[in-house]
Amino acid sequence: MTDAARTTATITRLGQQGDGVAEGPLFAPRTLPGEVVSGIVSGSQLTEVRIETPSETRVQAPCRHYKSCGGCQLQHASDAFVADWKVEVVKTALRAQGLETEFRPIHTSPSRSRRRATLTVRRTKKGAMAGFHGRASDVITPIPDCQLLDPALIRAIPLAEKLAMAGASRKAPLSVTLTASEVGLDVMVREGKPLDGSLRLELARIAGQNGVARLTWGDEQVLMEQPPVQAFGPARVCPPPGSFLQATKDGEAALLSAVQEITKGAKRLVDLFAGCGTFALPLAQDAEVHAVEGERDMIAALDAGWRRAQGLKKITSEVRDLFRNPLLPEDLNPFAAHFDAAVIDPPRAGGEAQIAQLAQARTPVIAYVSCNPVTFARDAKTLVAAGYCLNWVQVVDQFRWSAHTELAASFTLDS
Ligand SMILES: C[S@@+](CC[C@H](N)C(=O)[O-])C[C@H]1O[C@@H](n2cnc3c(N)ncnc32)[C@H](O)[C@@H]1O
């Protein structure tokens, strides 16, 4: 390709996926605002990108796999740039709804702290190869020196390869989800060969020799050496295979600390989209909690964890679809009782229906945990219009080097 065929552009901002965006819009991966870049235009993408004038915020990627691996998007930017950008993403979403508030300094999880990862594992002529998909490709990049994952997950790469040698078909790669637990690895495999007696025995043997606490193959449990428990406050919970877990223990602690501060002093709490009790169980050290969640197995895990724990106040729980059937004012303010505070931690779609009911019920304190600044800002507007004050936002970055942004926010009712 001659230089004449190349287009030059100046990056003005980052898009939602962390790609640089130039006028057009023209998306250039792994570029930064202010950079002059050149490349070949292909639709709205700039390919074969060359950095002509680098930004001062450009750094050498800390991971040697970054060039080929698609696992991270923002290792070419300084930590300070990423931190400012993530806070700005939330401020921009709030401004679009006419809102402003105080922002606490961002909390970023350390490198090598991600406690769950899904590896793609392909059989090869010599054995098997595990890693992440390359950038925008099906090619698997091996990641022995990954800077993102908890070392326990890195140590399990050979295990993932052994599982593929035993149970992957020649056609499709395995998808192996590794989760670090308090007692060993929780391993969930998808796209494997159908289980038969001898495969089951072989998989159990491999898992047993490699420190696996639980192995789930498709929907079947192959081995349960020990329940792969997570510690939520004083409780130990065995989550259903693959169910939601905060991405890092450190990020979970930062979110919990914000939620505890917001709801301090509450005697009765409702935890909405409660999962397996990440917040409900630690909060039950000081308050009675009603935990509501859509997945029956998660509520069962939460309830079992509560029953085994010592020194917690009462937790009641309910399986409920909070999009279609949110808790109503009469549920939130039952006769002679009411919830002093609500914790709400919805999926990316946000909590529109439930937030409207909380506002109507006038629940005095709301701790909102969000993984999507846009739906958070939409719901924040509903609360503010109903008379709530958005006191502060704490951005928590547990998806380091990605474009993903999480936060906790404090709302109280203006009296
Ligand atoms: C972001 S996770 C938070 C879970 C928990 N608070 C935690 O920190 O571990 C969102 C939770 O909402 C649940 N969920 C998704 N859609 C739901 C719905 N329509 N009704 C109730 N729960 C739902 C998911 O199963 C998941 O546990």
Side-chain angles (χ1 to χ4, degrees):
M1 187 70 64
T2 64
D3 273 7
R6 295 179 73 83
T7 296
T8 299
T10 301
I11 304 300
T12 55
R13 62 185 173 89
L14 293 193
Q16 280 180 357
Q17 310 300 324
D19 285 353
V21 187
E23 203 177 315
L26 198 53
F27 293 87
R30 300 190 170 185
T31 60
L32 294 168
E35 290 188 326
V36 178
V37 302
S38 68
I40 311 297
V41 175
S42 166
S44 61
Q45 296 290 319
L46 200 64
T47 63
E48 297 177 41
V49 175
R50 207 156 66 197
I51 311 296
E52 305 293 348
T53 315
S55 160
E56 282 175 6
T57 59
R58 179 169 283 277
V59 296
Q60 172 99 33
C63 180
R64 73 177 173 92
H65 306 305
Y66 185 58
K67 207 164 176 203
S68 51
C69 178
C72 291
Q73 289 78 48
L74 287 168
Q75 286 206 2
H76 58 284
S78 69
D79 287 352
F81 173 87
V82 176
D84 288 349
W85 180 69
K86 292 201 176 190
V87 169
E88 200 49 43
V89 165
V90 183
K91 286 185 177 170
T92 304
L94 284 174
R95 270 199 298 271
Q97 300 289 351
L99 301 175
E100 277 188 357
T101 190
E102 176 198 329
F103 274 73
R104 296 186 163 184
I106 188 171
H107 179 99
T108 302
S109 289
S111 57
R112 296 174 175 266
S113 65
R114 190 77 72 80
R115 62 175 154 184
R116 171 175 289 168
T118 299
L119 303 178
T120 303
V121 196
R122 193 182 288 286
R123 279 175 64 180
T124 61
K125 283 199 181 115
K126 289 188 188 151
M129 186 170 69
F132 286 145
H133 280 296
R135 276 200 297 142
S137 91
D138 275 347
V139 177
I140 298 170
T141 306
I143 49 158
D145 290 326
C146 173
Q147 299 298 302
L148 197 60
L149 304 188
D150 183 304
L153 305 190
I154 298 291
R155 284 196 296 274
I157 291 173
L159 159 72
E161 293 174 342
K162 282 180 198 155
L163 292 173
M165 284 186 262
S169 71
R170 289 238 170 252
K171 288 186 198 136
L174 282 192
S175 157
V176 179
T177 301
L178 304 166
T179 307
S181 84
E182 296 281 310
V183 296
L185 281 176
D186 188 10
V187 182
M188 190 184 73
V189 180
R190 300 261 179 237
E191 314 299 334
K193 284 187 200 162
L195 273 181
D196 59 22
S198 63
L199 179 56
R200 180 185 288 274
L201 279 177
E202 176 62 358
L203 294 172
R205 187 189 64 76
I206 295 169
Q209 287 176 349
N210 287 274
V212 172
R214 172 172 64 183
L215 173 64
T216 312
W217 193 264
D219 293 329
E220 285 195 60
Q221 185 174 296
V222 168
L223 173 104
M224 174 78 96
E225 196 73 12
Q226 297 188 68
V229 288
Q230 302 292 337
F232 296 144
R236 297 288 175 276
V237 173
C238 178
S243 62
F244 179 89
L245 198 60
Q246 297 293 345
T248 68
K249 192 78 193 155
D250 164 271
E252 178 185 300
L255 292 171
L256 174 63
S257 157
V259 166
Q260 282 173 321
E261 180 183 334
I262 296 163
T263 61
K264 195 171 167 46
K267 297 270 177 287
R268 289 192 77 230
L269 281 157
V270 63
D271 181 7
L272 300 157
F273 303 93
C276 294
T278 305
F279 302 127
L281 287 156
L283 290 169
Q285 293 171 107
D286 301 308
E288 288 189 3
V289 182
H290 184 56
V292 189
E293 156 65 41
E295 294 290 329
R296 187 168 298 282
D297 290 356
M298 295 179 90
I299 283 290
L302 186 166
D303 188 58
W306 172 65
R307 284 174 196 283
R308 281 191 302 265
Q310 302 278 312
L312 292 183
K313 296 195 189 313
K314 188 171 172 189
I315 298 187
T316 52
S317 53
E318 184 178 352
V319 181
R320 186 160 173 153
D321 182 335
L322 293 170
F323 289 168
R324 291 163 182 235
N325 188 19
L327 261 64
L328 301 175
E330 54 264 40
D331 305 313
L332 294 160
N333 298 326
F335 181 66
H338 69 277
F339 293 110
D340 310 314
V343 178
I344 182 164
D345 180 14
R348 288 189 65 73
E352 192 169 25
Q354 185 58 73
I355 283 288
Q357 298 303 326
L358 286 171
Q360 218 175 311
R362 312 210 57 72
T363 302
V365 172
I366 298 175
Y368 194 136
V369 177
S370 167
C371 56
N372 183 345
V374 172
T375 54
F376 162 70
R378 175 201 67 200
D379 293 347
K381 186 180 182 187
T382 303
L383 291 173
V384 170
Y388 283 81
C389 175
L390 170 52
N391 301 303
W392 50 262
V393 169
Q394 164 79 67
V395 177
V396 174
D397 186 7
Q398 48 179 344
F399 288 94
R400 202 183 171 125
W401 298 314
S402 82
H404 200 75
T405 302
E406 306 209 334
L407 63 93
S410 159
F411 293 89
T412 48
L413 202 49
D414 285 345
S415 46

